[in-house]
């Protein structure tokens, strides 16, 4: 112990408590040369510095470069106020009301420039659970660093010197593959419960271990997520599900007891053997697409996550004697209503999800003109992908999915040969629907 203390004094290292002076890590040590950052963010920093301000590339980009990952975007932090930033760039605009940031347009790039944020104090507005409501005070760079969530996210890269300023030992933590919270984890989760989700997402995406101090309280504090505005949860869930590591994220969410508050029905889904298989297949599919740089659609994702809840409710209504299609619509509305309370799935996405679900029973109809009408649906491709997933998960016969795969691909005149014979009841049903086209997916036929 004494030897440790002496060696620390003589090594010249600052004691851990003094966080105001950052460690300055030279390029010779971290290896990130300025050509590794986007030209837009480099030029933004240069211009701000020419005007006498501090300016750094900050946050996720520096972290990702240090571990050899491709950054999603390059954000800049500065001591210039938003107004001052505005005056440095012709193509820029201030956005946001509560905490203003500036979007600087550089060629094709839009760089987000944020003014250093100040420390929270007694005047900071919080709700009754301690969640910070207004966080809009400017501050020093050291305060800005302390306001960030994880040590690895509090790194500032100066393109002029190519040095990394490290206020909280983030570089060392990254080397040790540790995601460590800045400050006392319980207090930081109370200020903003979304940090629990960020911990899981970043750890899964970056292959880091959440430091035990930050990991332990999550299970106890998971309920605080109930208090987060649904729109914020939706954004965060979307980030998580489209991170390219959603399977890992979801597995870890469950391990940490975090899935309950998010999608209130997700825990139920994952406990049904069929539901779990389906969700995991869908997510693995999405991860694969993201990693290959292909787009993903939020509506498809949420439609898969909630499908087995719809199925369960639909079956219940059918057992009560309701008609097939009206029961499906009622089940869809029910599931989306329950979700909507927790997760603000936007109206546009909700519409797309419903369309995807409502098209599913129509794949069963493989006689007459109906298959042709289904092919013409604008959302046919997504609905077909959904059908294939259902078949792969064992919910429906693979033969149906295979039939549709062939039906799309054969020459037009061969399609007729594939059609199944009309069932005796089919025509009658169609006539009845024509008279009264109000409900059901076939209303548009
Ligand atoms: P990603 O790779 O998903 O973009 P990121 O860490 O860059 O990850 P952003 O949401 O882009 O995430 O946030 C940028 C930076 O802002 C973070 O690196 C972190 O320093 C800070 N930050 C974001 N959210 C929070 C939060 N809830 N609490 C504290 N700091 C945050
Ligand atoms: Mg980012």
């Amino acid at each position: 112990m004494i030897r440790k203390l002496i060696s620390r004094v003589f090594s010249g290292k600052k004691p851990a408590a003094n966080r105001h002076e950052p460690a300055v890590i030279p390029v010779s040590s971290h290896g990130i040369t300025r050509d590794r950052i986007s030209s837009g963010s480099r030029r933004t920093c240069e211009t701000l510095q020419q005007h006498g301000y501090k300016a750094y590339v900050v946050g996720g980009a520096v972290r990702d470069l240090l571990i050899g990952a491709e950054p999603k975007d390059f954000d800049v932090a500065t001591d210039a106020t938003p107004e001052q930033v505005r005056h440095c760039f012709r193509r820029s605009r201030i956005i946001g009301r509560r905490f203003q940031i500036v979007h600087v347009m550089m060629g094709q790039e839009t760089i987000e420039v944020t003014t250093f944020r100040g420390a929270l104090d007694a005047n900071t507005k919080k709700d009754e659970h301690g969640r910070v409501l207004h966080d809009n005070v400017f501050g020093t760079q050291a305060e800005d660093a302390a306001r960030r969530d994880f040590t690895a996210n509090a790194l500032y890269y100066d393109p002029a010197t190519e040095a990394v300023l490290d206020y909280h030992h983030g570089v060392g933590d990254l080397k040790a593959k540790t995601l460590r919270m800045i400050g006392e984890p319980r207090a930081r989760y109370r200020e903003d419960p979304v940090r629990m989700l960020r911990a899981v997402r970043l750890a899964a995406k970056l292959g880091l271990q959440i430091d035990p101090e930050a990991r332990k309280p999550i299970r106890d504090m998971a309920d605080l997520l109930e208090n987060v505005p649904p729109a914020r949860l939706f954004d965060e869930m979307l980030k998580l599900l489209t991170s390219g590591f959603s399977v890992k994220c979801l597995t870890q969410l469950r391990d940490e007891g975090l899935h309950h508050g998010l999608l209130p029905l997700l825990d139920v889904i994952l406990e049904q053997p069929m539901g779990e298989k389906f969700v995991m297949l869908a997510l693995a599919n999405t991860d694969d697409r993201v990693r290959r740089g292909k787009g993903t659609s939020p509506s498809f994702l949420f439609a898969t996550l909630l499908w087995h809840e719809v199925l369960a409710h639909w079956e219940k209504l059918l057992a009560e004697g309701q008609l097939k299609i009206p029961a499906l619509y009622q089940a869809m509305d029910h599931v989306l209503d329950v979700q909507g309370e927790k997760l603000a799935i936007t109206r546009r996405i909700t519409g797309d999800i419903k369309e995807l679900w409502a098209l599913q029973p129509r794949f069963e109809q493989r006689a007459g003109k109906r298959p042709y009408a289904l092919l013409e649906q604008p959302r046919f491709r997504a609905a077909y992908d959904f059908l294939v997933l259902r078949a792969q998960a064992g919910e429906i016969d693979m033969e149906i999915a295979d039939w549709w795969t062939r039906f799309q691909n054969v020459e037009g005149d061969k399609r007729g040969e594939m059609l199944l014979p009309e069932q005796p009841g089919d025509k009658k049903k169609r006539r009845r629907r024509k008279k009264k086209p109000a409900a059901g997916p076939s209303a548009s036929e």
Side-chain angles (χ1 to χ4, degrees):
M1 176 93 165
I2 290 177
R3 204 181 304 148
K4 241 192 204 163
L5 194 68
I6 292 173
S7 82
R8 189 187 284 166
V9 170
F10 285 98
S11 72
K13 273 192 197 157
K14 293 201 167 65
N18 185 355
R19 296 296 195 197
H20 295 293
E21 289 304 319
V24 180
I25 302 172
V27 62
S28 57
S29 157
H30 61 66
I32 303 170
T33 46
R34 64 177 71 83
D35 57 310
R36 302 282 302 284
I37 64 167
S38 73
S39 72
S41 60
R42 197 171 65 225
R43 275 156 51 212
T44 303
C45 288
E46 275 165 14
T47 305
L48 285 166
Q49 289 174 353
Q50 280 158 11
H51 282 80
Y53 301 114
K54 289 183 176 179
Y56 301 90
V57 172
V58 71
V62 187
R63 173 199 71 209
D64 290 355
L65 284 173
L66 282 168
I67 57 166
E70 189 71 38
K72 252 189 4 212
D73 38 39
F74 292 84
D75 299 331
V76 167
T78 178
D79 61 351
T81 63
E83 273 307 322
Q84 289 167 332
V85 176
R86 259 286 294 126
H87 283 111
C88 294
F89 301 94
R90 207 169 41 81
R91 293 177 63 219
S92 65
R93 63 195 150 103
I94 296 179
I95 60 160
R97 246 176 286 152
R98 270 201 288 124
F99 191 89
Q100 296 186 324
I101 60 174
V102 186
H103 275 176
V104 174
M105 274 67 83
M106 285 276 178
Q108 296 290 312
E109 271 186 89
T110 299
I111 306 296
E112 218 164 75
V113 182
T114 312
T115 305
F116 295 146
R117 285 194 207 191
L120 303 178
D121 62 21
N123 297 325
T124 307
K125 276 215 173 108
K126 295 182 178 175
D127 74 2
E128 75 268 27
H129 302 281
R131 190 169 66 82
V132 172
L133 297 173
H134 298 297
D135 175 17
N136 49 3
V137 188
F138 300 139
T140 64
Q141 188 174 357
E143 285 172 335
D144 183 79
R147 285 284 298 111
R148 293 179 184 270
D149 43 8
F150 302 102
T151 60
N153 281 346
L155 299 170
Y156 299 76
Y157 179 78
D158 182 352
T161 61
E162 298 181 315
V164 169
L165 304 195
D166 182 357
Y167 282 82
H168 295 277
H169 198 258
V171 173
D173 285 341
L174 268 181
K175 274 200 188 123
K177 297 272 174 210
T178 301
L179 191 66
R180 191 188 311 280
M181 182 70 85
I182 297 171
E184 207 277 299
R186 285 181 176 272
R188 304 302 312 278
Y189 291 143
R190 229 171 280 124
E191 284 169 11
D192 180 9
V194 167
R195 289 175 184 147
M196 294 188 266
L197 295 179
R198 287 180 53 86
V200 170
R201 171 168 66 88
L202 292 174
K205 176 173 141 179
L206 304 168
L208 306 177
Q209 295 294 324
I210 306 174
D211 170 52
E213 290 291 304
R215 186 176 170 186
K216 249 183 282 157
I218 291 182
R219 190 167 290 275
D220 292 348
M221 302 183 81
D223 286 352
L224 287 178
L225 282 167
E226 307 232 350
N227 191 37
V228 174
R232 178 110 197 273
L233 273 189
F234 179 72
D235 285 349
E236 194 55 37
M237 274 305 281
L238 203 54
K239 274 194 183 182
L240 195 144
L241 294 169
T242 55
S243 65
F245 294 86
S246 65
V247 170
K248 219 168 144 192
C249 280
L250 219 67
T251 313
Q252 193 152 357
L253 278 183
R254 186 161 43 170
D255 291 349
E256 305 298 342
L258 268 181
H259 53 298
H260 293 278
L262 301 176
L263 290 162
L265 301 170
L266 197 58
D267 45 346
V268 183
I269 301 167
L270 293 175
E271 276 148 26
Q272 302 165 0
M274 283 289 264
E276 162 147 17
K277 191 165 178 208
F278 180 71
V279 166
M280 287 303 174
L281 259 174
L283 291 176
N285 212 336
T286 307
D287 286 350
D288 187 52
R289 285 181 69 91
V290 172
R291 292 198 214 173
R292 283 189 291 132
K294 285 190 171 180
T296 52
S297 112
S299 53
F300 190 89
L301 247 167
F302 282 97
T304 56
L305 291 179
L306 301 174
W307 174 241
H308 274 258
E309 271 312 304
V310 174
L311 280 183
H313 203 71
W314 190 15
E315 272 159 27
K316 194 172 133 244
L317 294 172
L318 290 176
E320 287 168 9
Q322 294 217 30
L323 291 173
K324 186 174 171 183
I325 299 303
L328 171 61
Y329 275 72
Q330 204 180 317
M332 294 185 332
D333 284 340
H334 171 79
V335 169
L336 287 171
D337 281 352
V338 173
Q339 288 300 316
E341 285 170 18
K342 298 279 162 129
L343 207 65
I345 303 179
T346 54
R347 206 180 292 269
R348 191 182 58 76
I349 295 183
T350 309
D352 288 350
I353 294 175
K354 281 190 184 178
E355 208 177 337
L356 210 56
W357 287 339
L359 287 171
Q360 294 309 307
R362 294 180 57 180
F363 285 102
E364 292 161 25
Q365 302 166 346
R366 289 181 280 163
K369 294 202 176 91
R370 292 174 186 188
Y372 297 98
L374 188 50
L375 271 188
E376 296 307 316
Q377 284 284 327
R379 299 272 293 158
F380 171 81
R381 184 69 212 187
Y384 161 78
D385 287 344
F386 198 88
L387 177 85
V388 171
L389 273 177
R390 291 172 61 208
Q392 285 171 343
E395 180 211 322
I396 53 163
D397 217 324
M398 186 54 95
E399 186 266 331
I400 298 187
D402 287 343
W403 189 92
W404 280 98
T405 309
R406 274 182 284 123
F407 191 69
Q408 287 171 74
N409 294 322
V410 295
E411 297 289 325
D413 54 345
K414 295 252 165 53
R415 285 199 180 127
E417 296 166 18
M418 286 184 65
L419 296 174
L420 304 189
E422 296 248 17
Q423 297 297 313
D426 277 359
K427 284 221 171 85
K428 215 164 63 195
K429 259 192 251 160
R430 205 159 51 219
R431 267 205 301 280
R432 208 173 52 221
R433 275 203 200 100
K434 262 193 187 149
K435 263 192 237 154
K436 204 180 156 202
S442 40
S444 58
E445 277 182 8

